Amino acid sequence: MPPRHQLVLKNVSIPGGRVCDVTIGEGHVAHAGSALPAVDMIDCTGLIVLPAAVDIHVHMRGGTQSAKEDWKSGTMSALAGGVTVVVDQPNTVPPLTTPEHFLERVAEARAHACCRYAINSAVTPDTPLEAMWAAGAIAFGETFCAPSSYGEALNEPALSSALDRIGRLGALATIHAEEVAPGTDMDLLTHDTLRSAAGELRAIRNVARCNIAGSRLHLCHASTADAVCTAPGSVEVTPHHLFLSREQFGREDTHAKVNPPLRSEHARKNLWSHWNQIDIIASDHAPHTRSEKQTEFERAPSGIPGVETMVPLLLASVLKHTISLTDLVKKTTITPSALIGIPPAGFSPGDRADFAIYPKEISRIDPDTLHSKCSWTPFAGHEAVFPRIVIVDGRIAYNAGDFVSCAPLWIPGKGYQQNP
Ligand code: DOR
Ligand code: ZN
């Protein structure tokens, strides 16, 4: 008897138009061609099979912030949106500024996560960056150029020094570029004015100037076309800056309050016109509870949930012929995997066997069907295509609304691999 593999995805339309069977074993693609003997089989006829997404910018909360989200609800939300790798941001409470906190965070995720996860180190003047790298941080930041929710801003000397140290490690620094002008933050328009597009550009140029060592930089959540074009390295854009503008909401709707802010409809359309220059789409999933948002505008926290709706919104755009499927795959899985240095998911032998399988029908986003603890979305009613089945490490993790198996697989950074 020949050995039996884990799973076969039968009749997969792979990029380029070829239809083949993808045989999976030991968490990797074993063969693409005619099916090899396997324990399980999924017939993918008429469905869209994609390498699952890697969301390099999520705030999974947990710990003292578990009312907003925790590793279980956050990663369930990821899986139900076709995301199998999340990169958690370090502006937790307390922030991830010591190896001890970092390892506690890894342990918390290991106990509760349903998918693969990696964790960034905070960048503050007192953070022992080298020790954080050895502890397993996958990257550094987001590095705050201006204060944001639970994020402390760095001054220029501290930024230069941090970038120098991160560069010496051969690591990646991720940047939250903003400038905050003084004034009363009364509504979405003043939020856009006080954290202006021009200020975002100045902050980006300033980071480039401070990067004397020439360290590898990644710009988080560029909110305008100019920011995309000015990025001093790779650049990510969020679904909320692509699909939402402040004009789509009531003037004081705190649910649309986010940093960097939603811009005008004109700026949003201009951002789309620079689609080809965007390297990565990441959600900046930043849930806050309904009651935290239901307060006066100035006091409401900034942040929008989005890990579950990111690929579904983009896939609806593919079905409407606004963007190509090739670009979706490039910007949500191939480029983010390469950026953080993890093996790609894909259809070739040896590729990581993380897939999401979608119908070819567009539905509309219903907040009641989402899995984030915060239980609201600014994308309600938007067109989307949600996955039916999601596979992590060669196993079915999510199937038609059921969470079948959990794969809390930690992805440590290269510093850990050198000092395990
Ligand atoms: O709006 C935001 N919310 N921007 C950030 O940079 C942080 C995030 C959060 O953690 O809530
Ligand atoms: Zn940010």
Side-chain angles (χ1 to χ4, degrees):
M1 274 271 283
R4 298 226 296 166
H5 289 275
Q6 233 171 320
L7 177 67
V8 168
L9 305 180
K10 210 150 169 49
N11 303 315
V12 177
S13 289
I14 62 170
R18 196 158 70 96
V19 175
C20 71
D21 306 330
V22 178
T23 305
I24 297 167
E26 306 292 325
H28 292 92
V29 172
H31 179 74
S34 297
L36 301 179
V39 179
D40 274 328
M41 190 274 279
I42 300 171
D43 185 0
C44 301
T45 306
L47 300 172
I48 302 169
V49 183
L50 299 183
V54 174
D55 189 343
I56 62 164
H57 196 132
V58 301
H59 301 265
M60 283 286 130
R61 312 295 194 202
T64 58
Q65 294 185 302
S66 293
K68 297 176 194 281
E69 191 77 286
D70 59 30
W71 278 98
K72 182 158 189 236
S73 58
T75 54
M76 283 167 71
S77 199
L79 280 179
V83 172
T84 60
V85 180
V86 291
V87 180
D88 184 47
Q89 303 300 302
N91 61 334
T92 43
V93 178
L96 291 193
T97 53
T98 67
E100 293 71 32
H101 281 140
F102 184 86
L103 293 176
E104 280 166 21
R105 185 94 183 134
V106 172
E108 184 184 355
R110 184 174 288 132
H112 303 290
C114 295
C115 68
R116 300 180 200 263
Y117 59 95
I119 302 176
N120 282 1
S121 164
V123 181
T124 65
D126 299 329
T127 304
L129 303 173
E130 297 73 12
M132 298 301 277
W133 185 235
I138 193 100
F140 289 86
E142 45 186 314
T143 309
F144 287 98
C145 303
S148 187
S149 312
Y150 318 107
E152 188 191 322
L154 260 70
N155 62 26
E156 289 182 19
L159 180 60
S160 272
S161 154
L163 294 181
D164 180 41
R165 286 165 66 192
I166 293 166
R168 282 171 203 275
L169 294 168
L172 177 73
T174 69
I175 308 293
H176 175 127
E178 272 198 293
E179 198 183 82
V180 187
T184 312
D185 198 359
M186 291 178 319
D187 54 23
L188 292 170
L189 179 59
T190 49
H191 196 60
D192 180 9
T193 313
L194 297 176
R195 293 174 171 267
S196 68
E200 183 182 13
L201 266 191
R202 277 191 295 273
I204 295 169
R205 294 203 172 105
N206 196 34
V207 171
R209 259 197 312 276
C210 289
N211 187 20
I212 300 158
S215 302
R216 208 152 57 91
L217 301 183
H218 171 76
L219 179 64
C220 303
H221 44 53
S223 72
T224 65
D226 283 344
V228 168
C229 297
T230 314
S234 53
V235 56
E236 118 203 347
V237 167
T238 67
H240 47 269
H241 290 114
L242 283 169
F243 289 96
L244 306 177
S245 65
R246 58 174 159 69
E247 286 112 316
Q248 295 173 13
F249 295 85
R251 281 180 69 94
E252 293 175 33
D253 190 341
T254 56
H255 297 91
K257 185 180 178 191
V258 64
N259 302 335
L262 298 185
R263 307 296 183 192
S264 65
E265 190 59 19
H266 176 78
R268 182 184 82 83
K269 290 194 173 129
N270 200 24
L271 182 58
W272 269 112
S273 71
H274 289 67
W275 171 252
N276 289 341
Q277 278 131 283
I278 299 169
D279 297 305
I280 289 172
I281 307 295
S283 71
D284 192 5
H285 178 74
H288 300 284
T289 64
R290 280 176 191 272
S291 64
E292 286 167 323
K293 284 285 195 182
Q294 275 158 11
T295 184
E296 63 183 297
F297 193 89
E298 191 176 12
R299 291 182 40 218
S302 293
I304 281 176
V307 69
E308 188 165 347
T309 44
M310 176 174 77
V311 180
L313 285 163
L314 292 170
L315 191 50
S317 296
V318 171
L319 294 191
K320 290 187 291 177
H321 306 289
T322 317
I323 58 172
S324 70
L325 194 60
T326 308
D327 275 359
L328 186 159
V329 170
K330 210 188 322 169
K331 293 174 204 276
T332 64
T333 181
I334 297 175
T335 308
S337 296
L339 185 77
I340 62 170
I342 66 171
F347 301 106
S348 303
D351 282 351
R352 179 160 52 81
D354 287 9
F355 296 99
I357 305 176
Y358 297 83
K360 284 187 180 156
E361 294 110 49
I362 296 177
S363 59
R364 289 201 183 262
I365 295 176
D366 172 0
D368 294 341
T369 63
L370 302 179
H371 298 83
S372 169
K373 253 194 196 179
C374 77
S375 79
W376 60 272
T377 172
F379 299 106
H382 279 245
E383 290 182 316
V385 182
F386 286 94
R388 275 192 198 150
I389 298 176
V390 179
I391 293 160
V392 187
D393 204 34
R395 286 190 190 80
I396 298 174
Y398 172 84
N399 190 355
D402 289 334
F403 293 87
V404 184
S405 73
C406 269
L409 300 167
W410 180 39
I411 307 173
K414 299 261 183 314
Y416 178 87
Q417 289 152 23
Q418 285 151 13
N419 310 279

